[in-house]
Amino acid sequence: MDNLKINDDEIRIVGNNPHHNEPQEKKKENRWLYPIAAILLVCIAVFFLTLKRPHSDALENQSVINVKSDSKERTSYTIISDTIINNINLRCFTPVGAKPKLVVGLLKEIPQEYILGAMAADFGKYGNEYQVVGSFVINGEMLSHSKSKYGFCSIINDTLTIGNDLSTSLFEQAVENNGDFFRQYALVANGKPQNNPPIYKDALRRSLCILHDGRICVIDTDMEVSLNSFAAALCDFGVKDAISLMGSGAAVRWAVDKAGRRYIAGADEYEFPDVANYIVWE
């Protein structure tokens, strides 16, 4: 028993502690959690960046847009936004603090007060003379009277209306009230796409739209699509009524943002005849 005897300054531990090695084991296990958590965070970040990438690409691919700077910030301006609907790139131009009207004749220089504008009604050559296609009224003066297209736009007392009616009374009201009126292809009516003959080939498209919340905007594409595919994309975007505008690569469209930058797309306007016409906001 002498070997069990301990002195006053000694401590003897009897038995084995079953938890003696536990802290070390937990430490070994825990050191693997940190790199695993880091890898998971990186994967989540890459996933969300990938989801946002298509929208970013849509912004970068707008190579038809040129930028010119004006000198001051404006109270009337255009909000410009991009989105992708049904794999179609859409660029939306929403005017703020400006009134719409029609303009006829080539604009050799775009007036500074026109914060948004696009070529409106089609025109063609009849005999040796160019004429506007479809019924057309500007400031109460009738320049053309034809019901070749169902869609129409009227601007009477600063109120813009878009419809799909071959015999609308708004044509006569535009004449009587010094208003504006023109016809184009109907794309959307009461939130539903309107079918157009499939014979029209894919092309760059542009439209005049009224959204379900009442906002008016111009929407165009940077890719060639059919009228019917374009109409379906507009509906999914939230358009209530829409008609087409001249939207080929040569048709001019411009917008001025709040900082005074002017965005212009389209070819030289001097290639068009004097009956070229525009819907503008000033």
Side-chain angles (χ1 to χ4, degrees):
M1 298 296 292
D2 290 339
N3 60 345
L4 298 177
K5 184 178 180 180
I6 62 174
N7 297 323
D8 294 337
D9 59 349
E10 291 180 337
I11 297 175
R12 175 172 297 174
I13 299 174
V14 180
N16 294 325
N17 185 355
H19 302 292
H20 177 68
N21 294 326
E22 184 174 329
Q24 185 176 0
E25 292 175 358
K26 285 187 176 180
K27 186 175 181 181
K28 289 181 180 180
E29 292 174 359
N30 290 341
R31 70 182 182 181
W32 291 104
L33 296 178
Y34 298 107
I36 292 173
I39 293 172
L40 288 174
L41 289 174
V42 171
C43 292
I44 292 171
V46 171
F47 174 75
F48 282 104
L49 287 173
T50 303
L51 287 179
K52 293 182 179 181
R53 185 59 184 269
H55 179 76
S56 176
D57 289 345
L59 293 173
E60 295 172 0
N61 291 336
Q62 299 291 335
S63 59
V64 297
I65 302 296
N66 299 316
V67 179
K68 292 184 179 179
S69 295
D70 294 330
S71 58
K72 62 181 180 179
E73 187 172 292
R74 294 167 169 263
T75 55
S76 298
Y77 56 91
T78 303
I79 298 173
I80 304 172
S81 60
D82 292 82
T83 189
I84 301 176
I85 304 292
N86 301 341
N87 295 320
I88 298 175
N89 299 334
L90 300 179
R91 173 161 278 196
C92 180
F93 302 86
T94 306
V96 176
K99 297 179 180 180
K101 70 176 184 179
L102 294 183
V103 176
V104 176
L106 287 175
L107 295 176
K108 296 180 180 180
E109 293 184 5
I110 300 172
Q112 292 292 321
E113 61 268 24
Y114 292 173
I115 56 96
L116 176 61
M119 299 188 80
D122 295 325
F123 46 81
K125 197 170 186 178
Y126 299 89
N128 295 323
E129 182 180 2
Y130 280 98
Q131 296 179 13
V132 179
V133 176
S135 300
F136 193 94
V137 177
I138 180 168
N139 197 26
E141 180 182 357
M142 184 175 63
L143 301 185
S144 175
H145 185 35
S146 169
K147 297 180 180 180
S148 60
K149 299 173 182 177
Y150 282 73
F152 70 86
C153 168
S154 70
I155 306 172
I156 303 173
N157 297 326
D158 299 328
T159 298
L160 188 149
T161 303
I162 295 174
N164 182 20
D165 187 347
L166 200 59
S167 301
T168 175
S169 62
L170 289 174
F171 175 78
E172 288 78 12
Q173 292 180 36
V175 174
E176 295 170 358
N177 295 277
N178 297 323
D180 299 332
F181 184 98
F182 73 95
R183 285 195 174 274
Q184 265 288 6
Y185 294 107
L187 296 177
V188 181
N190 294 320
K192 297 181 180 179
Q194 303 301 293
N195 290 326
N196 285 282
I199 58 173
Y200 302 109
K201 65 180 181 180
D202 291 358
L204 297 175
R205 302 296 179 185
R206 186 169 297 141
S207 61
L208 175 62
C209 307
I210 298 179
L211 304 181
H212 282 285
D213 61 9
R215 286 179 297 161
I216 297 169
C217 59
V218 172
I219 299 178
D220 60 23
T221 70
D222 67 347
M223 55 197 300
E224 295 184 346
V225 297
S226 69
L227 278 177
N228 293 328
S229 296
F230 185 41
L234 293 177
C235 286
D236 291 341
F237 180 71
V239 171
K240 180 178 181 293
D241 295 291
I243 60 172
S244 65
L245 296 174
M246 289 187 64
S248 68
V252 178
R253 188 265 302 130
W254 71 88
V256 178
D257 66 12
K258 192 172 184 178
R261 292 183 295 262
R262 178 178 290 166
Y263 298 76
I264 302 177
D268 189 344
E269 296 179 77
Y270 292 101
E271 298 178 7
F272 296 104
D274 290 338
V275 292
N277 56 89
Y278 314 81
I279 181 170
V280 304
W281 282 259
E282 66 172 349

